[in-house]
Amino acid sequence: MAKPKKTPRPKAETPKGFRDYFGAEVTERAEMLQKIARVYHRYGFDAFESSAVETVEALGKFLPDVDRPNEGVFAWQEDDDWLALRYDMTAPLARVYAQHRNDLPNPYRRYTMGPVWRNEKPGPGRFRQFYQCDADTVGTASMAADAEICAMLSDCLEEVGIPRGDYVIRVNNRKVLNGVLDLIFGFDSKSEDAVLSAVYDTEMQKDEVLRAVDKYDKFGREGVQLLLTTGREDASGDFTEGVNLTADQAATILNFVEARGASNATTIKNLEDLLGAAGRGLDGVEELRTISDLLLSAGYAEDQIIIDPSVVRGLGYYTGPVYEAELTFEIEDEKGRPRNFGSVAGGGRYDDLVKRFTGQEVPATGVSIGVDRLLAALHAKGRLDTQSAGPVVVTVMDRDRMSDYQAMVADLRNAGIRSEVYLGNPKNFGNQLRYADKRDSPAAVIAGSDEFDRNVVQIKDLILGAKIAETASLEEWKDRPSQFEVPRDQMVARLREILEK
RNA sequence: GCCGCCUUAGCUCAGUUGGUUAGAGCGCCUGAUUGUGGAUCAGGAGGUCCCUGGUUCGAGCCCAGGAGGUGGUACCA
């Protein structure tokens, strides 16, 4: 006899960076997705859904290399192909558009929602699987498309319960930032006479500058100043290399980042003044002016959508306008410290993404709403009625009358009332009410032989009962002030009254 | 990836200078009440003190290494 090998029990745990969603968490998100989708639909976007798995090749430059095969994405090899879970909705859209471009209308406008996956270190409120809800317009370079996206984003936020004034959509333009960098580095690296290695170094440095500017929100002027010049030490004593710019160069950049004026018109004027005669930066400013004008005439005020030169949105694939939605109200974390929620949505124009597939430049612009973050923000703010209504529980007094109890829930269900018969062991009656309590049931139905003989049921208002219990003495409590008797044929009507309260 | 902090019951945490049987609150289960949620009272279950090795007569406590968690930071389509 072989020794029976004890197989270790599997640990019941969610993998790191993932989580489970129960009851109201699922329905709340479904409702939010539906609200956002309705706005997108109203704006004329078409519903669309693609597979969660793409070839790594189609997803883009993030090829898993030999050393770090899973860096960033969840990828695996199948025969000779590398496959991966999508990490956003935009890269799949570029693939789909390139693939079906002959059959799709032009411009193509679609919205889509679903989970995306990122294989990276999870943080507080940051998971490796999360929901996004995207809308994009592919095939037009018109700034009207960008303006529309911003307007729609504003509508979405208000639709899900964030009133005007509690959010702001900040708009910037990559072309302006690049114009600033041209100014700093003294030449356009794309020109003919540029030395190749110098171009490379400069481009690297430009990326680093963008990264530093992106942290303006987090570290403030001083922090970015340090990052741009000599480097910065964080709270834990870790040191981040600086970009080694001169103080003058850093100051020029910071002047742009802080160029926001009291109104969009002032901001635009500031940007023009700072850019002087420099080339491509001014194109960007002109685009910002167009977007701002379009939004103002569409009725979106500058307390909702503002031009803010400090918006960067990563290095990314963005080529023109970029947008970011931020919640402006303060929330507190578990320890009561005020916390900044950061951005809940973002997007921008990416004119080169489809080109990877087709070789032709296809202008496109779109937005992505981080649904989980938005939900978390609403929760933290207490703007979500978390009280999920449980079912009416029909208790079991007499197991031989099961068919009568089933008839009761059938009546309730036919009347549209969420209800169920207690299916656990009915021996201990107290447990049945405790169960109803735990389920957040609004009411329980009670009927034993006594009630059946007289063709009545007891209805117990559990919400009222809980309220009474807070103050009542034992004797008052035992008196069952929240319970009353009704004829069987009035059960549905009386329960409906309770539910409507 | 880098830096810091942490790891004892389902949860939140005590645990003295290294000392014998590791505790509390909350939660859970049972009963007082087999036809009634809360409160109260009585009782009960629940532990690989993260792992491995070392020091010691003796380790939850000291030392070394590892793992996991967490906070910051870096990267982030």
Side-chain angles (χ1 to χ4, degrees), chain A residues 181-220:
Chain A
L181 292 175
D182 288 345
L183 222 62
I184 295 277
F185 292 104
F187 66 99
D188 182 347
S189 59
K190 289 197 172 114
S191 68
E192 302 270 329
D193 54 350
V195 182
L196 212 62
S197 65
V199 169
Y200 180 79
D201 287 349
T202 306
E203 288 303 315
M204 290 295 286
Q205 230 177 351
K206 284 183 177 178
D207 283 355
E208 286 171 28
V209 170
L210 286 181
R211 274 198 283 264
V213 171
D214 202 12
K215 297 189 172 55
Y216 186 83
D217 274 353
K218 214 169 175 181
F219 299 149

mmCIF file of all heavy atoms in Angstrom, chain A residues 181-220:
data_model
loop_
_atom_site.group_PDB
_atom_site.id
_atom_site.type_symbol
_atom_site.label_atom_id
_atom_site.label_comp_id
_atom_site.label_asym_id
_atom_site.label_seq_id
_atom_site.Cartn_x
_atom_site.Cartn_y
_atom_site.Cartn_z
ATOM 1 N N LEU A 181 9.154 72.326 -25.322
ATOM 2 C CA LEU A 181 10.401 71.563 -25.310
ATOM 3 C C LEU A 181 11.309 72.000 -26.455
ATOM 4 O O LEU A 181 12.530 72.066 -26.292
ATOM 5 C CB LEU A 181 10.096 70.065 -25.389
ATOM 6 C CG LEU A 181 9.403 69.522 -24.140
ATOM 7 C CD1 LEU A 181 9.012 68.066 -24.323
ATOM 8 C CD2 LEU A 181 10.299 69.669 -22.922
ATOM 9 N N ASP A 182 10.725 72.307 -27.611
ATOM 10 C CA ASP A 182 11.518 72.838 -28.721
ATOM 11 C C ASP A 182 12.245 74.091 -28.272
ATOM 12 O O ASP A 182 13.417 74.308 -28.582
ATOM 13 C CB ASP A 182 10.615 73.172 -29.920
ATOM 14 C CG ASP A 182 10.102 71.913 -30.597
ATOM 15 O OD1 ASP A 182 10.668 70.829 -30.322
ATOM 16 O OD2 ASP A 182 9.143 72.006 -31.377
ATOM 17 N N LEU A 183 11.502 74.903 -27.536
ATOM 18 C CA LEU A 183 12.052 76.166 -27.050
ATOM 19 C C LEU A 183 13.260 75.909 -26.147
ATOM 20 O O LEU A 183 14.307 76.535 -26.270
ATOM 21 C CB LEU A 183 10.964 76.879 -26.236
ATOM 22 C CG LEU A 183 10.776 78.366 -26.418
ATOM 23 C CD1 LEU A 183 10.377 78.677 -27.844
ATOM 24 C CD2 LEU A 183 9.667 78.836 -25.473
ATOM 25 N N ILE A 184 13.106 74.956 -25.265
ATOM 26 C CA ILE A 184 14.155 74.625 -24.306
ATOM 27 C C ILE A 184 15.393 74.075 -24.993
ATOM 28 O O ILE A 184 16.522 74.477 -24.718
ATOM 29 C CB ILE A 184 13.646 73.537 -23.325
ATOM 30 C CG1 ILE A 184 12.509 74.070 -22.480
ATOM 31 C CG2 ILE A 184 14.784 73.039 -22.456
ATOM 32 C CD1 ILE A 184 12.944 74.849 -21.309
ATOM 33 N N PHE A 185 15.148 73.127 -25.854
ATOM 34 C CA PHE A 185 16.293 72.426 -26.431
ATOM 35 C C PHE A 185 16.821 73.127 -27.670
ATOM 36 O O PHE A 185 17.750 72.654 -28.307
ATOM 37 C CB PHE A 185 15.929 70.974 -26.720
ATOM 38 C CG PHE A 185 15.701 70.203 -25.460
ATOM 39 C CD1 PHE A 185 14.415 69.890 -25.040
ATOM 40 C CD2 PHE A 185 16.766 69.819 -24.670
ATOM 41 C CE1 PHE A 185 14.206 69.194 -23.859
ATOM 42 C CE2 PHE A 185 16.559 69.119 -23.491
ATOM 43 C CZ PHE A 185 15.281 68.813 -23.080
ATOM 44 N N GLY A 186 16.203 74.222 -28.026
ATOM 45 C CA GLY A 186 16.786 75.129 -29.000
ATOM 46 C C GLY A 186 16.627 74.734 -30.448
ATOM 47 O O GLY A 186 16.909 75.514 -31.334
ATOM 48 N N PHE A 187 16.167 73.509 -30.710
ATOM 49 C CA PHE A 187 15.975 73.153 -32.122
ATOM 50 C C PHE A 187 14.910 72.068 -32.233
ATOM 51 O O PHE A 187 14.637 71.339 -31.280
ATOM 52 C CB PHE A 187 17.287 72.668 -32.734
ATOM 53 C CG PHE A 187 17.783 71.382 -32.142
ATOM 54 C CD1 PHE A 187 17.565 70.169 -32.782
ATOM 55 C CD2 PHE A 187 18.468 71.378 -30.930
ATOM 56 C CE1 PHE A 187 18.012 68.992 -32.223
ATOM 57 C CE2 PHE A 187 18.922 70.195 -30.380
ATOM 58 C CZ PHE A 187 18.699 69.001 -31.029
ATOM 59 N N ASP A 188 14.372 71.954 -33.402
ATOM 60 C CA ASP A 188 13.397 70.897 -33.665
ATOM 61 C C ASP A 188 14.174 69.650 -34.064
ATOM 62 O O ASP A 188 14.825 69.611 -35.098
ATOM 63 C CB ASP A 188 12.461 71.341 -34.798
ATOM 64 C CG ASP A 188 11.411 70.297 -35.084
ATOM 65 O OD1 ASP A 188 11.556 69.156 -34.602
ATOM 66 O OD2 ASP A 188 10.450 70.625 -35.790
ATOM 67 N N SER A 189 14.090 68.641 -33.248
ATOM 68 C CA SER A 189 14.906 67.457 -33.474
ATOM 69 C C SER A 189 14.512 66.707 -34.740
ATOM 70 O O SER A 189 15.207 65.809 -35.172
ATOM 71 C CB SER A 189 14.783 66.527 -32.270
ATOM 72 O OG SER A 189 13.442 66.167 -32.087
ATOM 73 N N LYS A 190 13.394 67.105 -35.322
ATOM 74 C CA LYS A 190 12.978 66.391 -36.531
ATOM 75 C C LYS A 190 13.559 67.042 -37.790
ATOM 76 O O LYS A 190 13.356 66.559 -38.900
ATOM 77 C CB LYS A 190 11.450 66.348 -36.622
ATOM 78 C CG LYS A 190 10.872 65.398 -35.567
ATOM 79 C CD LYS A 190 9.443 64.983 -35.853
ATOM 80 C CE LYS A 190 9.017 63.888 -34.878
ATOM 81 N NZ LYS A 190 7.961 64.321 -33.977
ATOM 82 N N SER A 191 14.261 68.162 -37.600
ATOM 83 C CA SER A 191 14.797 68.847 -38.777
ATOM 84 C C SER A 191 15.971 68.061 -39.363
ATOM 85 O O SER A 191 16.561 67.198 -38.726
ATOM 86 C CB SER A 191 15.237 70.263 -38.404
ATOM 87 O OG SER A 191 16.370 70.173 -37.552
ATOM 88 N N GLU A 192 16.332 68.416 -40.603
ATOM 89 C CA GLU A 192 17.298 67.648 -41.391
ATOM 90 C C GLU A 192 18.698 67.644 -40.792
ATOM 91 O O GLU A 192 19.362 66.618 -40.778
ATOM 92 C CB GLU A 192 17.364 68.255 -42.798
ATOM 93 C CG GLU A 192 16.036 68.282 -43.536
ATOM 94 C CD GLU A 192 15.831 67.020 -44.353
ATOM 95 O OE1 GLU A 192 16.832 66.445 -44.815
ATOM 96 O OE2 GLU A 192 14.669 66.608 -44.506
ATOM 97 N N ASP A 193 19.119 68.807 -40.275
ATOM 98 C CA ASP A 193 20.522 68.924 -39.894
ATOM 99 C C ASP A 193 20.816 68.402 -38.492
ATOM 100 O O ASP A 193 21.927 68.541 -38.004
ATOM 101 C CB ASP A 193 20.980 70.389 -40.027
ATOM 102 C CG ASP A 193 20.066 71.309 -39.236
ATOM 103 O OD1 ASP A 193 19.007 70.831 -38.771
ATOM 104 O OD2 ASP A 193 20.397 72.493 -39.076
ATOM 105 N N ALA A 194 19.813 67.787 -37.844
ATOM 106 C CA ALA A 194 20.038 67.286 -36.496
ATOM 107 C C ALA A 194 20.969 66.073 -36.518
ATOM 108 O O ALA A 194 20.858 65.215 -37.385
ATOM 109 C CB ALA A 194 18.709 66.895 -35.855
ATOM 110 N N VAL A 195 21.871 66.033 -35.555
ATOM 111 C CA VAL A 195 22.768 64.885 -35.429
ATOM 112 C C VAL A 195 22.007 63.746 -34.754
ATOM 113 O O VAL A 195 21.286 63.965 -33.772
ATOM 114 C CB VAL A 195 24.008 65.250 -34.593
ATOM 115 C CG1 VAL A 195 24.961 64.063 -34.519
ATOM 116 C CG2 VAL A 195 24.688 66.466 -35.176
ATOM 117 N N LEU A 196 22.170 62.550 -35.282
ATOM 118 C CA LEU A 196 21.320 61.442 -34.860
ATOM 119 C C LEU A 196 21.408 61.147 -33.365
ATOM 120 O O LEU A 196 20.383 61.024 -32.688
ATOM 121 C CB LEU A 196 21.680 60.186 -35.661
ATOM 122 C CG LEU A 196 20.494 59.254 -35.914
ATOM 123 C CD1 LEU A 196 19.419 59.958 -36.732
ATOM 124 C CD2 LEU A 196 20.949 57.992 -36.607
ATOM 125 N N SER A 197 22.602 61.040 -32.828
ATOM 126 C CA SER A 197 22.727 60.689 -31.415
ATOM 127 C C SER A 197 22.185 61.815 -30.543
ATOM 128 O O SER A 197 21.566 61.578 -29.509
ATOM 129 C CB SER A 197 24.192 60.420 -31.068
ATOM 130 O OG SER A 197 24.942 61.611 -31.216
ATOM 131 N N ALA A 198 22.380 63.042 -31.003
ATOM 132 C CA ALA A 198 21.852 64.181 -30.250
ATOM 133 C C ALA A 198 20.327 64.147 -30.242
ATOM 134 O O ALA A 198 19.682 64.449 -29.235
ATOM 135 C CB ALA A 198 22.348 65.485 -30.855
ATOM 136 N N VAL A 199 19.749 63.750 -31.365
ATOM 137 C CA VAL A 199 18.300 63.638 -31.450
ATOM 138 C C VAL A 199 17.800 62.623 -30.437
ATOM 139 O O VAL A 199 16.864 62.872 -29.686
ATOM 140 C CB VAL A 199 17.851 63.206 -32.868
ATOM 141 C CG1 VAL A 199 16.379 62.835 -32.879
ATOM 142 C CG2 VAL A 199 18.128 64.319 -33.859
ATOM 143 N N TYR A 200 18.486 61.482 -30.374
ATOM 144 C CA TYR A 200 18.084 60.432 -29.454
ATOM 145 C C TYR A 200 18.137 60.923 -28.010
ATOM 146 O O TYR A 200 17.175 60.788 -27.255
ATOM 147 C CB TYR A 200 18.990 59.210 -29.636
ATOM 148 C CG TYR A 200 18.648 58.077 -28.712
ATOM 149 C CD1 TYR A 200 17.566 57.240 -28.999
ATOM 150 C CD2 TYR A 200 19.374 57.858 -27.550
ATOM 151 C CE1 TYR A 200 17.231 56.224 -28.140
ATOM 152 C CE2 TYR A 200 19.045 56.840 -26.689
ATOM 153 C CZ TYR A 200 17.973 56.024 -26.985
ATOM 154 O OH TYR A 200 17.650 55.004 -26.129
ATOM 155 N N ASP A 201 19.280 61.518 -27.661
ATOM 156 C CA ASP A 201 19.442 62.020 -26.302
ATOM 157 C C ASP A 201 18.353 63.033 -25.964
ATOM 158 O O ASP A 201 17.766 63.007 -24.889
ATOM 159 C CB ASP A 201 20.812 62.687 -26.136
ATOM 160 C CG ASP A 201 21.916 61.645 -26.105
ATOM 161 O OD1 ASP A 201 21.568 60.448 -26.006
ATOM 162 O OD2 ASP A 201 23.093 62.023 -26.193
ATOM 163 N N THR A 202 18.109 63.918 -26.917
ATOM 164 C CA THR A 202 17.117 64.955 -26.683
ATOM 165 C C THR A 202 15.736 64.362 -26.481
ATOM 166 O O THR A 202 14.994 64.754 -25.579
ATOM 167 C CB THR A 202 17.090 65.933 -27.863
ATOM 168 O OG1 THR A 202 18.411 66.424 -28.079
ATOM 169 C CG2 THR A 202 16.166 67.094 -27.579
ATOM 170 N N GLU A 203 15.378 63.375 -27.309
ATOM 171 C CA GLU A 203 14.059 62.756 -27.187
ATOM 172 C C GLU A 203 13.909 62.081 -25.824
ATOM 173 O O GLU A 203 12.879 62.171 -25.176
ATOM 174 C CB GLU A 203 13.835 61.734 -28.302
ATOM 175 C CG GLU A 203 13.614 62.364 -29.682
ATOM 176 C CD GLU A 203 12.442 63.336 -29.695
ATOM 177 O OE1 GLU A 203 11.382 62.991 -29.123
ATOM 178 O OE2 GLU A 203 12.601 64.440 -30.252
ATOM 179 N N MET A 204 14.973 61.398 -25.385
ATOM 180 C CA MET A 204 14.935 60.766 -24.070
ATOM 181 C C MET A 204 14.698 61.815 -22.985
ATOM 182 O O MET A 204 13.886 61.631 -22.084
ATOM 183 C CB MET A 204 16.270 60.046 -23.786
ATOM 184 C CG MET A 204 16.507 58.814 -24.623
ATOM 185 S SD MET A 204 15.315 57.521 -24.277
ATOM 186 C CE MET A 204 15.924 56.963 -22.681
ATOM 187 N N GLN A 205 15.421 62.910 -23.134
ATOM 188 C CA GLN A 205 15.324 63.966 -22.142
ATOM 189 C C GLN A 205 13.932 64.582 -22.148
ATOM 190 O O GLN A 205 13.373 64.894 -21.103
ATOM 191 C CB GLN A 205 16.379 65.040 -22.436
ATOM 192 C CG GLN A 205 17.187 65.386 -21.224
ATOM 193 C CD GLN A 205 18.283 66.389 -21.540
ATOM 194 O OE1 GLN A 205 18.536 66.702 -22.705
ATOM 195 N NE2 GLN A 205 18.924 66.884 -20.512
ATOM 196 N N LYS A 206 13.347 64.697 -23.342
ATOM 197 C CA LYS A 206 11.999 65.259 -23.441
ATOM 198 C C LYS A 206 10.994 64.365 -22.712
ATOM 199 O O LYS A 206 10.114 64.850 -22.004
ATOM 200 C CB LYS A 206 11.586 65.407 -24.907
ATOM 201 C CG LYS A 206 12.233 66.583 -25.602
ATOM 202 C CD LYS A 206 11.738 66.715 -27.030
ATOM 203 C CE LYS A 206 12.346 67.955 -27.684
ATOM 204 N NZ LYS A 206 11.908 68.089 -29.097
ATOM 205 N N ASP A 207 11.164 63.054 -22.872
ATOM 206 C CA ASP A 207 10.296 62.118 -22.160
ATOM 207 C C ASP A 207 10.417 62.318 -20.659
ATOM 208 O O ASP A 207 9.421 62.331 -19.943
ATOM 209 C CB ASP A 207 10.670 60.673 -22.518
ATOM 210 C CG ASP A 207 10.154 60.294 -23.888
ATOM 211 O OD1 ASP A 207 9.433 61.117 -24.491
ATOM 212 O OD2 ASP A 207 10.467 59.188 -24.355
ATOM 213 N N GLU A 208 11.662 62.461 -20.216
ATOM 214 C CA GLU A 208 11.868 62.626 -18.779
ATOM 215 C C GLU A 208 11.239 63.914 -18.272
ATOM 216 O O GLU A 208 10.700 63.963 -17.169
ATOM 217 C CB GLU A 208 13.368 62.607 -18.450
ATOM 218 C CG GLU A 208 13.968 61.217 -18.538
ATOM 219 C CD GLU A 208 15.489 61.237 -18.431
ATOM 220 O OE1 GLU A 208 16.008 62.160 -17.786
ATOM 221 O OE2 GLU A 208 16.122 60.323 -18.990
ATOM 222 N N VAL A 209 11.312 64.942 -19.095
ATOM 223 C CA VAL A 209 10.687 66.208 -18.710
ATOM 224 C C VAL A 209 9.184 66.015 -18.567
ATOM 225 O O VAL A 209 8.569 66.446 -17.589
ATOM 226 C CB VAL A 209 10.985 67.308 -19.747
ATOM 227 C CG1 VAL A 209 10.132 68.535 -19.479
ATOM 228 C CG2 VAL A 209 12.459 67.673 -19.731
ATOM 229 N N LEU A 210 8.579 65.326 -19.539
ATOM 230 C CA LEU A 210 7.138 65.080 -19.474
ATOM 231 C C LEU A 210 6.768 64.315 -18.207
ATOM 232 O O LEU A 210 5.787 64.627 -17.544
ATOM 233 C CB LEU A 210 6.674 64.299 -20.704
ATOM 234 C CG LEU A 210 6.600 65.089 -22.007
ATOM 235 C CD1 LEU A 210 6.109 64.196 -23.135
ATOM 236 C CD2 LEU A 210 5.694 66.296 -21.854
ATOM 237 N N ARG A 211 7.571 63.318 -17.900
ATOM 238 C CA ARG A 211 7.303 62.528 -16.694
ATOM 239 C C ARG A 211 7.339 63.399 -15.452
ATOM 240 O O ARG A 211 6.518 63.278 -14.555
ATOM 241 C CB ARG A 211 8.339 61.409 -16.566
ATOM 242 C CG ARG A 211 7.965 60.163 -17.337
ATOM 243 C CD ARG A 211 8.748 58.980 -16.843
ATOM 244 N NE ARG A 211 10.112 58.985 -17.332
ATOM 245 C CZ ARG A 211 10.519 58.317 -18.403
ATOM 246 N NH1 ARG A 211 9.655 57.605 -19.093
ATOM 247 N NH2 ARG A 211 11.759 58.336 -18.784
ATOM 248 N N ALA A 212 8.329 64.296 -15.419
ATOM 249 C CA ALA A 212 8.470 65.172 -14.258
ATOM 250 C C ALA A 212 7.265 66.109 -14.147
ATOM 251 O O ALA A 212 6.695 66.287 -13.070
ATOM 252 C CB ALA A 212 9.768 65.965 -14.358
ATOM 253 N N VAL A 213 6.879 66.680 -15.293
ATOM 254 C CA VAL A 213 5.757 67.628 -15.288
ATOM 255 C C VAL A 213 4.476 66.929 -14.865
ATOM 256 O O VAL A 213 3.631 67.498 -14.175
ATOM 257 C CB VAL A 213 5.594 68.263 -16.686
ATOM 258 C CG1 VAL A 213 4.315 69.076 -16.755
ATOM 259 C CG2 VAL A 213 6.798 69.132 -17.008
ATOM 260 N N ASP A 214 4.358 65.653 -15.250
ATOM 261 C CA ASP A 214 3.172 64.860 -14.922
ATOM 262 C C ASP A 214 2.970 64.776 -13.404
ATOM 263 O O ASP A 214 1.876 64.496 -12.921
ATOM 264 C CB ASP A 214 3.325 63.455 -15.511
ATOM 265 C CG ASP A 214 1.985 62.767 -15.691
ATOM 266 O OD1 ASP A 214 0.954 63.459 -15.576
ATOM 267 O OD2 ASP A 214 1.966 61.562 -15.950
ATOM 268 N N LYS A 215 4.034 64.991 -12.650
ATOM 269 C CA LYS A 215 3.944 64.842 -11.191
ATOM 270 C C LYS A 215 3.672 66.156 -10.494
ATOM 271 O O LYS A 215 3.758 66.247 -9.265
ATOM 272 C CB LYS A 215 5.250 64.228 -10.683
ATOM 273 C CG LYS A 215 5.456 62.838 -11.247
ATOM 274 C CD LYS A 215 6.600 62.122 -10.627
ATOM 275 C CE LYS A 215 6.619 60.689 -11.105
ATOM 276 N NZ LYS A 215 6.643 60.599 -12.580
ATOM 277 N N TYR A 216 3.346 67.167 -11.286
ATOM 278 C CA TYR A 216 3.106 68.482 -10.698
ATOM 279 C C TYR A 216 2.020 68.420 -9.622
ATOM 280 O O TYR A 216 2.157 68.989 -8.551
ATOM 281 C CB TYR A 216 2.714 69.470 -11.791
ATOM 282 C CG TYR A 216 2.597 70.887 -11.305
ATOM 283 C CD1 TYR A 216 3.712 71.693 -11.181
ATOM 284 C CD2 TYR A 216 1.362 71.420 -10.943
ATOM 285 C CE1 TYR A 216 3.622 72.986 -10.725
ATOM 286 C CE2 TYR A 216 1.249 72.712 -10.470
ATOM 287 C CZ TYR A 216 2.382 73.489 -10.369
ATOM 288 O OH TYR A 216 2.279 74.777 -9.905
ATOM 289 N N ASP A 217 0.937 67.699 -9.924
ATOM 290 C CA ASP A 217 -0.168 67.562 -8.968
ATOM 291 C C ASP A 217 0.307 66.987 -7.639
ATOM 292 O O ASP A 217 -0.138 67.371 -6.577
ATOM 293 C CB ASP A 217 -1.243 66.627 -9.531
ATOM 294 C CG ASP A 217 -2.215 67.408 -10.402
ATOM 295 O OD1 ASP A 217 -2.092 68.646 -10.429
ATOM 296 O OD2 ASP A 217 -3.057 66.779 -11.039
ATOM 297 N N LYS A 218 1.212 66.029 -7.772
ATOM 298 C CA LYS A 218 1.622 65.245 -6.605
ATOM 299 C C LYS A 218 2.658 65.977 -5.762
ATOM 300 O O LYS A 218 2.557 66.009 -4.540
ATOM 301 C CB LYS A 218 2.219 63.932 -7.118
ATOM 302 C CG LYS A 218 1.966 62.735 -6.258
ATOM 303 C CD LYS A 218 2.371 61.512 -7.043
ATOM 304 C CE LYS A 218 2.284 60.253 -6.243
ATOM 305 N NZ LYS A 218 2.723 59.103 -7.062
ATOM 306 N N PHE A 219 3.671 66.520 -6.416
ATOM 307 C CA PHE A 219 4.815 67.069 -5.680
ATOM 308 C C PHE A 219 4.838 68.589 -5.639
ATOM 309 O O PHE A 219 5.630 69.163 -4.901
ATOM 310 C CB PHE A 219 6.124 66.582 -6.306
ATOM 311 C CG PHE A 219 6.282 65.096 -6.287
ATOM 312 C CD1 PHE A 219 6.992 64.442 -7.284
ATOM 313 C CD2 PHE A 219 5.728 64.339 -5.272
ATOM 314 C CE1 PHE A 219 7.145 63.068 -7.260
ATOM 315 C CE2 PHE A 219 5.870 62.953 -5.247
ATOM 316 C CZ PHE A 219 6.578 62.325 -6.248
ATOM 317 N N GLY A 220 4.035 69.237 -6.462
ATOM 318 C CA GLY A 220 4.030 70.687 -6.475
ATOM 319 C C GLY A 220 5.215 71.268 -7.223
ATOM 320 O O GLY A 220 6.041 70.549 -7.794
#
